[in-house]
Amino acid sequence: MSWFYRNLIRPALFTQDSEEIHNRTLRALGWISRQSVLCDVLASFWGASRDCGIGLFGLNFPNPIGLAAGMDKHASAVPIWESFGFGFVELGGVTWHPQPGNPAPRMFRAVADKALVNRMGFNNPGAEDVAAKLAKWRMLGHWPGHPVGINLGKSKSARLENAAEDYANSFRALWPHADFFVVNVSSPNTPNLRQLQDRTALDEILAAMQAINRQAAAGKRESTKPVLIKVAPDLSFEALDGILELVEPRQIAGIVATNTTITRPETNDPRLQQVYAEPGGLSGRPLRARSTGIVRHIHRQTGGALPIIGVGGIFNADDAWEKITAGASLVQLYTGLVYEGPSIAKAVVKGLRQRLDEAGLRELKQAVGIGNA
Ligand SMILES: Cc1cc2nc3c(=O)[nH]c(=O)nc-3n(C[C@H](O)[C@H](O)[C@H](O)COP(=O)(O)O)c2cc1C
């Protein structure tokens, strides 16, 4: 199937504008998501076995391959990702205020490098709309069997000094609807957002969110929800260490490493040069090594005690294995799905099982960080 996708379907899809085809595909997937029979048919092709599962921050992940933030920003196809073999999803980024994002065009393919450049700028319908959509999926009985996370961003209209309130509003509205939350302070496409990776600013955001977390959990007699931080691959190790100092005081459940990069690889290919001249974040193949380096640093600094979700340039089981052995307990992908098609999650899970067997390991967690010993 992946041959079929790469050689027949992808060339046809790639003749069209990338955002246009993304929106059309998501609309189609949203329709299919409401037809349980069709979801079952897709799952019979691409559903992954419950292999390489792992328990993390109180949640059970049937397999470690997740859909990264940005693909299903509007929660329009929540049930379908399980049929495509994913073991968890991160919906969003969602902001408190609905917003259109940056002017189009804002998503570009660098095909020869299997990469994308985007400057979407958190185009999304706002936290209350996404909360209503999630409530509806649950009411219809179309809720996936895997954990669902939500990526939270800052509204463009919110001033940096009001960021904590802005994130807290989204968190309050979405709290009942997801299993875990990711604070995104690392997108390059919202002006000054990445300044919130500064320790003091981040501390304020987390303090506001954890207060809501405790209140909401007490009200429902449930436990608090895991809150993770998503970091940029362009941070210095020193700045990363500043974030890691907040782990204990602010009960950070884990780090998602990494978002897209503002750096660009060297190239003599004029078509790539043209795409790389576009402002925005770069994802896919050229990001892989850099994001693995960040995963490795966090794992070493925390002695493996802090769960890491590794993301950036994963296209196959070797790429996922690289992240896991560098310290990631879970991995996510976005660009890999665009280039390899819907069989990617199943193929990666299968490949990970083979690598575990070759290494003489029974469980995935035994492989986490073994490359750093
Ligand atoms: C078009 C597009 C939109 C994205 N939107 C978000 C977002 O809203 N929030 C976020 O944290 N990351 C976002 N990302 C980043 C991805 O979640 C991921 O961190 C990054 O693309 C690296 O993974 P990949 O190489 O597998 O694509 C986006 C990426 C792309 C390509």
Side-chain angles (χ1 to χ4, degrees), residues 37-364:
V37 179
L38 290 180
C39 287
D40 291 347
V41 172
L42 293 184
S44 69
F45 288 110
W46 297 311
S49 57
R50 293 190 153 246
D51 202 355
C52 306
I54 189 163
L56 217 56
F57 31 80
L59 300 173
N60 284 323
F61 294 81
N63 75 58
I65 318 301
L67 182 76
M71 180 63 77
D72 193 357
K73 278 179 186 281
H74 300 201
S76 31
V78 177
I80 203 87
W81 309 111
E82 187 172 30
S83 307
F84 287 160
F86 287 99
F88 66 108
V89 295
E90 188 180 323
L91 305 170
V94 181
T95 58
W96 174 235
H97 295 291
Q99 55 184 43
N102 291 321
R106 52 192 182 176
M107 199 200 289
F108 309 88
R109 301 182 196 101
V111 180
D113 270 359
K114 286 197 170 179
L116 296 171
V117 170
N118 91 85
R119 52 168 178 274
M120 305 303 288
F122 291 146
N123 54 311
N124 80 103
E128 286 180 330
D129 182 278
V130 172
K133 283 211 186 89
L134 292 173
K136 197 161 171 201
W137 285 123
R138 264 190 215 272
M139 199 189 71
L140 292 171
H142 294 318
W143 198 253
H146 57 55
V148 172
I150 299 183
N151 182 280
L152 300 179
K154 183 186 78 65
S155 310
K156 192 175 177 192
S157 61
R159 296 160 67 93
L160 274 193
E161 53 273 30
N162 299 331
E165 192 189 344
D166 193 69
Y167 280 95
N169 284 339
S170 299
F171 186 49
R172 191 182 294 109
L174 288 161
W175 194 93
H177 302 287
D179 301 304
F180 68 95
F181 290 85
V182 178
V183 182
N184 175 11
V185 278
S186 49
S187 165
N189 301 316
T190 295
N192 305 323
L193 184 84
R194 298 181 339 153
Q195 288 179 26
L196 297 175
Q197 291 176 121
D198 167 73
R199 216 196 105 125
T200 318
L202 192 53
D203 190 39
E204 208 185 311
I205 295 169
L206 290 169
M209 287 180 60
Q210 293 295 19
I212 289 167
N213 208 358
R214 285 188 294 272
Q215 251 172 30
K220 295 240 175 203
R221 294 174 194 275
E222 287 177 20
S223 9
T224 54
K225 305 248 166 141
V227 175
L228 292 82
I229 309 290
K230 186 163 179 180
V231 297
D234 309 318
L235 277 181
S236 67
F237 284 165
E238 201 186 346
L240 260 180
D241 295 346
I243 293 177
L244 295 179
E245 282 172 24
L246 296 175
V247 167
E248 281 216 14
R250 294 297 174 211
Q251 289 105 40
I252 298 172
I255 303 282
V256 183
T258 65
N259 214 312
T260 53
T261 175
I262 54 169
T263 65
R264 299 289 186 268
E266 295 271 318
T267 176
N268 294 322
D269 179 333
R271 266 201 267 172
L272 288 178
Q273 283 171 345
Q274 199 185 353
V275 175
Y276 290 158
E278 294 288 348
L282 173 71
S283 60
R285 184 69 82 212
L287 175 61
R288 199 202 79 228
R290 186 178 274 261
S291 74
T292 302
I294 302 273
V295 169
R296 182 167 288 117
H297 177 78
I298 299 169
H299 185 265
R300 285 194 173 137
Q301 285 300 98
T302 57
L306 182 68
I308 304 167
I309 303 183
V311 50
I314 295 177
F315 287 77
N316 53 43
D318 285 336
D319 301 333
W321 185 246
E322 178 187 273
K323 291 275 190 291
I324 290 164
T325 54
S329 298
L330 298 168
V331 296
Q332 291 176 324
L333 53 92
Y334 181 127
T335 310
L337 180 61
V338 172
Y339 282 92
E340 302 298 317
S343 58
I344 187 169
K346 183 178 184 172
V348 174
V349 174
K350 194 170 160 211
L352 283 180
R353 168 47 62 197
Q354 277 165 4
R355 275 153 196 78
L356 286 175
D357 291 345
E358 281 158 21
L361 302 173
R362 231 172 0 98
E363 291 183 282
L364 186 84

